């Protein structure tokens, strides 16, 4: 740079601009560095100094990104300085997986024998050969029967060859291309152009690191949206120039951090999916490690999907699946088996189109051989796809994905698969809305009231009542089912129902613990029913069902009472007798009149009770009022009451013995007695005694019910009054009174007699 002071005097000699131009051109003139300070003369009286200052910036020689002739300088013509990928200076440390430890022990033995041979000079060739054969056989057996989780561990092996390892092995020339043309270059996805047998291909794939430093730089092979947009740019580039595309998949999944989501991770993946289905060049995808979820699929929509033998391809990792379904990552082996993520399983499902073999020990055992197998697979697949025209190529890619998960109706199902299929549930129509049900209930009520007021035929109202009861029963069942599922007891009830069904079969006996389970589940249901969301609807429908059931019951009772003509005549006769007595104005009728009216009432009551019992009703004897207690009871009537009480007591005993719980306990007692034989050991004796005590307690509790006690007390009072009134003249009745003086329930005793094949229960009254 030059600075010139302003001066009116004319300058002699060359101008500064000329000096600058000549200096810059380098052809003629004086160099600026030789210019010094000079005195300029002029016509002016004052002389001015002319000073010129210049600064020259030193720059480095510009380095071009490529040599003049790359082929002689770089083996294979690979421009390695354009890629961050360089050969490793140190050999990677060997990593042994858990299931490979037996092989390590054999390998250590071989090393020890060789060292011993070198140290001693002895010949151990036979032993070494034997151990090596044994090692190879064990290696073959291990790697030909790998479990899914073991293949997952091999796919994640730290020393497994990466995308660039394979690319540099299979290509003659490869140039890496960078950037998404939006200011970013994601190192987790690598793209570039390479040649195989003189044909150009566009390569792109996930790149993992070979050590910790590289893994951090490559983000462990998890791309951000920038990486997918870089791949998208290269897809458009390849489509424009007609380069076939080869993608390599090896990622746990797309990077799911907050920044990636803000930058549109989902949109970037979706854009790639849509674009790949429209590319007019052949596409091959190769899974060389693990392919996780949409992060793998974003560059995997290809005409052919190939997988290395020990690669995996999944929608969720086994650890994530196990944590979701079984609440622990320790169930990952089970999850890996259920997910069907290995190459063999995916080929059966027609997701994978071919399997590329690996050497025994995995791809890291012989990376070069594995790369050559990949090269052969690429050449064969490309030869097949390049024969298709554009229309058929797009159709081929579309149909590959359209057929996934497809099925055809009408084809018989394989019996082996049918066993594991869920049973078809019977279709249940939906519930009736509450408002609609309320309207129907009001209509039925109106019909019933109208029929009660009129003496006409009430057959239509009875039909409407029966129809409404049936409908309400169905609605209540549906509400109960919904409530059970909402409080989380549906599965437990189904399991308990299955246990109960098995226990009631002829082959098995129901254990007493099953009754405890049923009782416990019933209590849980009773406690949690009020918390069900549909509890209000259930309560309303249940109340309506009870109300209509009572109406139906009253109609039946009315029909039973007034149905028989002779009974109707007796009732009318009784009414007339009572009205006659009231009309006479006699407050205390004589004993004969009282006995006649009481006898008529009792005859009607006995007939009604017998009719109701024949229809399956439980008839309960109501305690008479105080006024009735003062009345004396005739001897035949008292004997009938005693016989009735005996029958009720015996029925209670029979019901208790025939109840499912006691019946099962008796069956268990039979089994224990049969097992113990004539000389039971202490354990069997204790078990038998425990069952005996339980049976005794339950039978005694059933016999000592409060209702029977109350009836016995009432009968005792009546017997006492009758005996006093008769003066004890009837010896037969006295004997009956003496035999029944004490409570047959308080003084009852239960004895159990058992033999080898039978158990008998005897109720003794003392």
């Amino acid at each position: 740079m030059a600075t010139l002071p302003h001066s009116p005097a004319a300058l002699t000699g060359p101008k500064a601009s000329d000096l600058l131009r000549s200096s810059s051109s380098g052809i003629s003139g004086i160099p600026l560095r030789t210019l010094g300070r000079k005195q300029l003369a002029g016509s002016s009286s004052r002389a001015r100094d002319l000073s010129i200052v210049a600064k020259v910036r030193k720059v480095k020689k510009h380095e071009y990104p490529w040599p003049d002739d790359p082929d002689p300088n770089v083996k294979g013509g690979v421009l390695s300085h354009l890629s961050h990928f360089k050969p490793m200076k140190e050999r990677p440390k060997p990593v042994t997986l858990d299931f490979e430890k037996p092989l390590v022990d054999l390998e250590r033995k071989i090393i020890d024998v060789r060292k011993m041979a070198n140290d001693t000079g002895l010949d151990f060739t036979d032993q070494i050969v034997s151990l090596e054969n044994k090692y190879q056989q064990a290696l073959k057996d291990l790697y030909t029967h790998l479990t899914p989780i073991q293949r997952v561990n091999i796919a994640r092996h730290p020393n497994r060859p990466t995308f660039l390892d394979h690319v540099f092995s299979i290509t003659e020339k490869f140039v890496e291309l960078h950037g998404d043309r939006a200011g970013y270059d994601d190192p987790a996805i690598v793209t570039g152009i390479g040649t195989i047998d003189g044909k150009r291909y566009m390569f792109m794939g996930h790149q993992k690191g070979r050590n910790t430093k590289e893994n951090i730089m490559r983000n462990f092979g998890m791309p951000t949206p920038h990486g997918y947009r870089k791949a998208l740019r290269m897809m458009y580039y390849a489509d424009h120039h007609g380069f076939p595309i080869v993608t390599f998949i090896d990622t746990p999944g797309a990077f799911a951090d907050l920044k990636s989501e803000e930058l549109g991770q989902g949109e970037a993946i979706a854009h790639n999916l849509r674009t790949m289905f429209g590319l007019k060049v052949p596409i091959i995808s190769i899974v060389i490690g693990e392919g996780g979820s949409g992060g793998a699929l974003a560059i995997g929509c290809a005409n052919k999907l190939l997988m290395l033998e020990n690669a995996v391809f999944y929608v969720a990792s086994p650890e994530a699946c196990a944590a979701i379904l079984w609440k622990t990552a320790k169930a990952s082996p089970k999850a890996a088996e259920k997910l069907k993520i290995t190459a063999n399983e995916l080929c059966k499902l027609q997701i994978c189109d071919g399997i590329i073999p690996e050497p025994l020990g995995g791809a890291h055992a012989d990376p070069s051989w594995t790369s050559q197998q990949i090269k052969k697979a690429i050449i064969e697949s490309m030869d097949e796809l390049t024969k298709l025209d554009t229309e058929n190529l797009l159709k081929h890619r579309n149909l590959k994905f359209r057929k996934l998960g497809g099925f055809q109706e009408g084809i018989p199902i394989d019996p082996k698969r049918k066993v594991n299929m869920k049973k078809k549930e019977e279709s249940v129509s939906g519930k009736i809305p509450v408002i609609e049900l309320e309207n129907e209930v009001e209509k039925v009520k109106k019909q019933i009231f109208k029929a009660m007021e009129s003496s006409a035929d009430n057959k239509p109202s009875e039909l409407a009542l029966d129809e409404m009861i049936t409908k309400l029963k169905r609605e209540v069942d549906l509400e109960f089912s919904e409530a059970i599922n909402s409080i989380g007891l549906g599965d437990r009830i189904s399991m308990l129902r299955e246990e109960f069904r098995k226990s009631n079969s002829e082959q098995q006996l129901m254990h007493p613990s099953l009754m405890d389970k049923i009782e416990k589940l019933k209590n849980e249901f009773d406690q949690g029913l009020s918390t069900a969301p549909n509890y209000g609807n259930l309560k309303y429908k249940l109340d309506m069902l009870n109300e209509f059931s009572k109406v139906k019951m009253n109609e039946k009772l009315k029909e039973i009472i007034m149905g028989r003509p002779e009974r109707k005549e007796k009732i009318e006769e009784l009414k007339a007798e009572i009205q006659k007595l009231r009309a006479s104005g006699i407050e205390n009728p004589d004993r004969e009149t009282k006995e006649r009216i009481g006898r008529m009432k009792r005859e009607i009551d006995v007939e009604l009770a017998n009719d109701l019992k024949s229809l399956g009703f439980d008839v309960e004897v109501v305690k008479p009022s105080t006024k009735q207690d003062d009345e004396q009871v005739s001897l035949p009537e008292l004997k009938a009451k005693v016989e009735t009480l005996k029958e009720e007591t015996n029925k209670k005993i029979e019901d208790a013995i025939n109840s499912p719980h006691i019946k099962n306990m008796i069956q268990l007692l039979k089994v224990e007695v049969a097992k113990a034989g004539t000389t039971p050991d202490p354990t069997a004796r204790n078990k038998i005694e425990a069952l005996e005590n339980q049976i005794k307690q339950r039978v005694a509790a059933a016999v000592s019910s409060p209702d029977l006690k109350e009836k016995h007390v009432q009968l005792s009072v009546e017997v006492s009054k009758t005996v006093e009134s008769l003066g004890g003249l009837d010896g037969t009745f006295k004997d009956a009174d003496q035999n029944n003086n004490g409570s047959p329930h308080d003084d009852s005793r239960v004895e159990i007699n058992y033999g080898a094949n039978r158990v008998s229960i005897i109720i003794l009254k003392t």
Side-chain angles (χ1 to χ4, degrees), residues 545-557:
L545 179 60
N546 292 333
E547 183 177 345
F548 282 112
S549 298
K550 287 179 181 178
V551 174
K552 183 70 175 176
M553 187 68 63
N554 292 334
E555 293 292 333
K556 283 187 176 181
L557 290 175

Side-chain angles (χ1 to χ4, degrees), residues 230-427:
K230 177 169 71 172
L232 180 65
R233 184 176 77 87
M234 299 307 167
M235 291 177 194
Y236 283 128
Y237 184 88
D239 189 49
H240 177 74
H241 292 283
F243 296 154
I245 299 174
V246 182
T247 66
F248 288 73
I249 298 172
D250 187 16
T251 179
F255 193 48
D257 68 329
L258 179 61
K259 188 68 175 176
S260 296
E261 296 298 333
E262 290 175 352
L263 293 172
Q265 183 74 283
E267 184 275 338
I269 294 174
H271 199 172
N272 280 25
L273 297 178
R274 183 184 68 179
T275 302
M276 292 189 76
F277 280 105
L279 297 178
K280 300 176 183 179
V281 293
I283 306 175
I284 295 176
S285 293
I286 304 172
V287 185
I288 58 174
E290 56 178 338
S293 190
L297 200 60
I299 59 172
C301 295
N303 293 94
K304 285 204 170 191
L305 177 68
L306 307 178
M307 293 181 67
L308 287 180
E309 187 178 352
N310 294 318
V312 290
F313 198 44
Y314 49 73
V315 69
S317 66
E319 293 80 7
C321 177
I324 294 170
L325 296 182
W326 294 283
K327 309 303 181 185
T328 175
K330 294 181 179 179
S332 56
K334 184 178 180 181
E337 183 179 356
K338 298 294 183 182
L339 283 171
K340 310 292 185 185
I341 58 178
T342 60
N344 289 326
E345 294 292 344
L346 293 175
C347 274
K348 293 178 183 178
L349 297 173
Q350 297 183 354
I351 295 173
C352 174
D353 298 304
I355 301 175
I356 302 174
E358 293 186 28
L360 291 177
H364 53 280
D366 193 349
S368 178
W369 187 86
T370 306
S371 298
Q372 294 306 311
Q373 299 304 313
I374 293 175
K375 181 178 180 180
K376 291 179 182 178
I378 292 174
I379 293 173
E380 291 177 1
S381 300
M382 282 299 176
D383 290 342
E384 180 182 346
L385 294 175
T386 50
K387 296 177 182 178
L388 301 176
D389 56 12
T390 303
E391 183 179 355
N392 290 328
L393 187 70
L394 294 174
K395 186 177 180 181
H396 178 275
R397 193 180 308 147
N398 183 44
L399 291 177
K400 171 181 168 49
F401 288 88
R402 290 291 294 173
K403 72 179 179 181
L404 298 181
F407 68 95
Q408 292 181 349
E409 295 182 354
I411 297 178
I413 301 173
D414 185 5
K416 293 182 180 178
R417 293 176 58 193
K418 194 172 182 179
V419 170
N420 298 324
M421 293 177 66
K422 185 179 179 181
K423 293 183 179 179
K424 184 178 180 181
E425 298 179 355
E426 296 181 359
S427 59

Side-chain angles (χ1 to χ4, degrees), residues 557-570:
L557 290 175
K558 185 178 178 182
E559 183 180 352
I560 292 171
I561 293 172
M562 307 301 294
R564 294 186 180 182
E566 60 272 14
R567 185 180 302 149
K568 192 174 182 180
E569 292 177 1
K570 289 181 180 180

Side-chain angles (χ1 to χ4, degrees), residues 489 492 496 513-527:
L489 298 179
R492 291 177 58 187
L496 199 59
S513 62
L514 183 59
M515 296 299 295
D516 297 335
K517 289 183 182 179
I518 295 174
E519 190 67 24
K520 183 179 179 182
L521 191 61
K522 180 179 177 297
N523 295 334
E524 289 185 21
F525 174 72
D526 293 339
Q527 294 175 3

